[in-house]
Amino acid sequence: MISIRSALLTIIPLIWALNTEAFAPSSSLVASTRTYKTSQLTKCYESKDANMTDEEREIAMEKALKAMTAFSNKYTENTGTYYCSDLSVPAVVIKGLAEHKVTLGAPLCPCRFYDDKEKEAKEGYWNCPCVPMRERHECHCMLFLTEDNDFAGKDTNISYEQVCKSCGGM
């Protein structure tokens, strides 16, 4: 029988992957789609990093990953929350937040599906920390866990290096 922990560790990266451009067509096709206007029915995803070179994007990702790691560490400290006992869970979430910070300009929750990510990022409800986390300490991503959560570990700090290592580099 599969444990809840195993199921969550399997499903969170999959949800995050579905929310990234991991399954998108080649970057040249995406770039041309971003600027090509078809009809009112087609709303193309407009990425903030569309005009970046690979090197610029890598630098932006490193900077965003460091910023989101620092933010997450400070937030656990300020709210009395903890990371999951398996640090690969918060690492994947932090990487997803950093990716959205680069592509959308805001740390949109990477654990949800959005019809229009850009609109959601502008509205702010699901920007980290999301409204449910701020109001009720409910983090469905398992990034910020209360001590009574069965998956909560003892860690309130994760290093940039741990995040990179857990995510297989940047």
Side-chain angles (χ1 to χ4, degrees), residues 96-165:
L97 291 169
E99 181 75 29
H100 282 164
K101 189 137 176 70
V102 171
T103 60
L104 300 169
L108 184 66
C109 173
C111 300
R112 302 185 65 79
F113 174 78
Y114 307 99
D115 286 327
D116 186 341
K117 287 184 185 182
E118 200 168 75
K119 178 183 172 199
E120 292 289 345
K122 286 178 185 171
E123 288 177 359
Y125 187 89
W126 292 113
N127 290 347
C128 189
C130 64
V131 171
M133 181 61 206
R134 287 178 291 196
E135 291 180 353
R136 300 181 301 277
H137 277 198
E138 294 174 2
C139 180
H140 68 277
C141 293
M142 294 182 55
L143 179 57
F144 306 117
L145 302 174
T146 55
E147 66 181 329
D148 61 336
N149 187 300
D150 292 338
F151 298 102
K154 294 180 179 162
D155 291 313
T156 58
N157 193 38
I158 187 170
S159 71
Y160 168 77
E161 291 76 17
Q162 285 174 297
V163 173
C164 289
K165 182 179 177 186

